[in-house]
Amino acid sequence: MRTGTTAALVTCRGLTKAYGDGETRTIALRGVDLSIHAGELLMLVGPSGCGKTTLISIIAGTLDADGGTCSVLERELLAMNPYQRALFRQTGLGFVFQDFNLLPALTATENVSIPLLLQGMKRAQAEQQARLYLASVGLGHRTEARPAHLSGGQQQRVAIARALVHKPPLIICDEPTSNLDHASGQRVLEILRTVGQDPHRAIIVVTHDPRIHAYADTLAHMDDGRIVAIESRHTGRHS
């Protein structure tokens, strides 16, 4: 849980985004303001189509905003060229997706080692680190298993280990429990909750699952392209 003195790792001000032109024009974001602090697990919640995925795509640097500013880890995303953004994502961000995005031909160890290999680490060292992170999510006994031989919950834990192995300060999770049964989803959120207590890291989770809201420090409620309420799960206050 963050304190009032922790740094903002993400600061969005007045973000706007629209898709299409003319009669097909759809407004996805309508002046979004949002801050995410170190030590915070923030969940973006709201109905489908309200702009959650657009917002995290802008924060991740995979989508350009039409207007406003977005500073991530003290870097202004709009000031970066595509190469700088790709390098920034490799070092600063970790991703956990709803469909896991594991490479089926690779073992759990090989999947988790990918971010380290992309940073130039030697394979033996990268795989040693990968096994340590797999053990940290309770999969020390499945390091050589391929995704087809793992349950959905186990595959998601491999994905979490892959998101953590290069020690990024910001983890972005897009519906990480949507393809899991309730028990597996609870296990995944328990791991993310533990990870989110690192005072130098923040986690953003997009979710439609109200059963996992209790794991959040903060709920950011979205509707029609806006943040309509910020709720602290620890004080119960809204803003």
Side-chain angles (χ1 to χ4, degrees):
M1 178 180 175
R2 70 180 178 88
T3 67
T5 60
T6 55
L9 299 187
V10 177
T11 303
C12 301
R13 293 289 178 263
L15 285 183
T16 60
K17 181 65 181 180
Y19 300 100
D21 296 301
E23 294 182 358
T24 65
R25 182 176 172 83
T26 300
I27 300 177
L29 299 180
R30 303 172 184 269
V32 168
D33 294 333
L34 183 67
S35 296
I36 304 166
H37 294 78
E40 182 175 20
L41 194 160
L42 180 141
M43 290 188 184
L44 281 174
V45 301
S48 296
C50 70
K52 299 186 302 295
T53 298
T54 296
L55 178 55
I56 63 167
S57 297
I58 292 172
I59 291 171
T62 59
L63 183 68
D64 284 333
D66 294 335
T69 62
C70 187
S71 173
V72 180
L73 310 182
E74 300 183 340
R75 299 280 304 277
E76 179 56 53
L77 293 178
L78 293 177
M80 299 183 198
N81 62 39
Y83 173 78
Q84 290 171 327
R85 287 192 195 184
L87 185 61
F88 176 73
R89 285 192 294 273
Q90 281 185 23
T91 57
L93 307 183
F95 297 93
V96 180
F97 304 96
Q98 60 180 311
D99 56 358
F100 319 135
N101 281 13
L102 302 178
L103 297 178
L106 302 185
T107 66
T109 296
E110 290 167 337
N111 268 286
V112 174
S113 68
I114 288 172
L116 298 176
L117 295 174
L118 290 173
Q119 292 182 9
M121 185 179 289
K122 292 183 178 179
R123 181 173 297 276
Q125 184 180 359
E127 293 188 353
Q128 180 183 28
Q129 289 295 310
R131 285 188 285 270
L132 289 174
Y133 275 83
L134 284 166
S136 76
V137 297
L139 292 176
H141 62 302
R142 304 307 309 273
T143 58
E144 301 311 308
R146 287 180 168 77
H149 298 115
L150 297 170
S151 70
Q154 289 173 331
Q155 289 185 58
Q156 192 60 292
R157 282 188 272 159
V158 172
I160 291 171
R162 181 184 58 191
L164 296 174
V165 72
H166 56 303
K167 302 178 181 178
L170 181 62
I171 309 291
I172 298 174
C173 308
D174 188 7
E175 300 282 0
T177 63
S178 65
N179 289 333
L180 304 179
D181 60 64
H182 181 61
S184 296
Q186 295 288 101
R187 170 65 171 149
V188 163
L189 261 295
E190 287 169 3
I191 293 169
L192 289 175
R193 173 67 271 164
T194 300
V195 169
Q197 292 173 345
D198 185 327
H200 305 293
R201 176 182 289 137
I203 300 178
I204 310 169
V205 177
V206 169
T207 184
H208 286 98
D209 186 354
R211 297 173 299 178
I212 67 173
H213 288 183
Y215 291 94
D217 292 313
T218 306
L219 292 178
H221 297 264
M222 291 194 71
D223 194 19
D224 194 26
R226 296 183 176 91
I227 302 289
V228 294
I230 300 290
E231 176 188 353
S232 168
R233 300 297 291 178
H234 299 285
T235 66
R237 292 179 302 189
H238 291 68
S239 61

